[in-house]
Amino acid sequence: MSFIRASFSARTAFASARRYSTAPPPAQKSSNLPYALIGGGIAGLATYIYLERSNTPAEPFKPKISDQSALDPKNFVDFKLKKIEPYNHNTAKFIFELPPDTASLLPVASCVVVKSSPEAENALVDAKGKPVIRPYTPISPSDLPGELTFLVKRYDTGKMSKYIHEMQPGDKLAIKGPIPKFEYKINQFDEVGMIAGGSGITPMYQILEHALKDPSNKTRFTLIFANVTEKDILLKEEFDALRAKYPKTFNVVYTVDQAGADWKGPTGYINEELVTKHLPAPTLGEKAKIFVCGPPGQVAAVAGPKQGMKQGELGGILKQLGYTDEQVFKF
């Protein structure tokens, strides 16, 4: 019985062997290796692109703002004081709240005028009972949504500056503007000289912040900034940062009346020597412009007094050095 089983198994195996040896060979299974390599390459490339994009700093998000200014050039509008940021011993930043999704959109260079709100219990008026109105130049970017910032220095004889310094968050100030001062155009001049004193620095900062960041700007700016002491210098960190960032197009010279032991800059009032050394020469003609802003006494000594809102005749140091009325603008 075992012999029969063995013979049967042998014949079955032999038959199977003959059947597979005479049948056509099976089709060779294709390899997936090339596809795997291609897929891996695509995945690797996608990973690389993702990582590169992840390492690229994202552009700061800019909220969409209305193309209509929050200010009114014809009427005073009340704005609430949002917060106060002390700056130094006699100066602070006063940040006012604008309606949502709006900005001041102030043209360069321009200012606003302010007065106490009609709702204020302690309205600021002059001896005749009329509202005291004063001009101020904001230091916040014109496209900054929701806020309007003033850098206000308190003067003992300044009615409005003292009034603003006595305000508290939540109080309102009536503001009207913009009031155009000088329509500045990029590359309008080859060189621009600036002479400022005390809080008269704000129009200069408005122009510089606008012009220097413009990639097409080629104008060379030089600022002479006069103050009583070193601690009175406003926006010094901002000007030093601008000088470091734009060394080919901006320089600033600080001068003080009362120098400390560590002071290394010029001392005393602005004089002919300081102007001649640092500012563009009058011989440049229409290629040069000199801007002046500061306390009335300083403006008069440097460029002659203003006549109210009018420029007034050119005088002082600048006239003595040969500058013309067309080359000088007094804020």
Side-chain angles (χ1 to χ4, degrees), residues 24-270:
Q28 185 176 1
K29 188 176 182 181
S30 60
S31 172
N32 289 328
L33 179 60
Y35 299 102
L37 292 176
I38 293 174
I42 294 174
L45 178 61
T47 302
Y48 171 79
I49 294 174
Y50 172 79
L51 292 175
E52 281 297 302
R53 290 181 177 178
S54 299
N55 293 329
T56 302
E59 294 185 1
F61 173 73
K62 292 186 177 181
K64 185 177 180 181
I65 60 174
S66 171
D67 57 0
Q68 184 175 355
S69 172
L71 304 175
D72 188 334
K74 297 182 179 180
N75 301 290
F76 280 95
V77 179
D78 282 358
F79 292 96
K80 184 183 298 184
L81 179 59
K82 182 177 179 180
K83 59 182 176 180
I84 303 171
E85 295 181 358
Y87 188 87
N88 62 15
H89 61 289
N90 62 5
T91 305
K93 290 182 180 181
F94 293 84
I95 303 170
F96 289 85
E97 184 178 307
L98 301 181
D101 303 323
T102 67
S104 68
L105 303 181
L106 290 174
V108 176
S110 64
C111 68
V112 299
V113 289
V114 306
K115 69 175 184 177
S116 59
S117 169
E119 300 178 4
E121 296 180 358
N122 57 336
L124 182 62
V125 296
D126 60 17
K128 297 181 179 180
K130 294 182 178 181
V132 173
I133 299 174
R134 293 289 185 271
Y136 281 93
T137 302
I139 62 169
S140 49
S142 64
D143 60 350
L144 178 67
E147 291 183 350
L148 185 67
T149 302
F150 297 99
L151 184 65
V152 182
K153 183 174 183 177
R154 180 180 180 129
Y155 291 95
D156 292 335
T157 57
K159 293 181 179 180
M160 182 58 71
S161 68
K162 289 196 296 184
Y163 179 85
I164 293 176
H165 271 261
E166 292 171 357
M167 293 181 67
Q168 299 296 322
D171 292 344
K172 294 180 180 180
L173 187 69
I175 303 174
K176 182 173 72 172
I179 310 299
K181 301 294 288 185
F182 184 91
E183 185 181 359
Y184 183 83
K185 300 176 181 178
I186 298 296
N187 296 323
Q188 185 175 359
F189 309 104
D190 290 351
E191 295 189 46
V192 170
M194 296 177 161
I195 301 175
S199 57
I201 193 61
T202 51
M204 312 303 183
Y205 180 72
Q206 186 186 59
I207 293 174
L208 289 168
E209 200 273 338
H210 166 74
L212 292 175
K213 70 180 182 181
D214 191 306
S216 66
N217 174 65
K218 296 180 181 179
T219 300
R220 168 76 178 179
F221 294 88
T222 303
L223 166 65
I224 298 178
F225 190 12
N227 286 275
V228 178
T229 67
E230 184 176 2
K231 65 180 182 180
D232 290 307
I233 300 176
L234 304 178
L235 301 172
K236 187 176 187 300
E237 291 183 1
E238 286 81 354
F239 288 125
D240 289 345
L242 288 174
R243 177 170 55 183
K245 188 173 183 178
Y246 306 102
K248 294 182 179 181
T249 53
F250 177 61
N251 187 35
V252 56
V253 178
Y254 304 107
T255 180
V256 297
D257 300 340
Q258 303 171 15
D262 298 329
W263 180 254
K264 298 180 181 179
T267 58
Y269 295 138
I270 295 173

Side-chain angles (χ1 to χ4, degrees), residues 1-19:
M1 188 69 174
S2 61
F3 172 74
I4 296 173
R5 288 177 179 170
S7 298
F8 179 78
S9 298
R11 287 196 300 269
T12 304
F14 179 73
S16 299
R18 285 183 59 85
R19 183 167 62 250

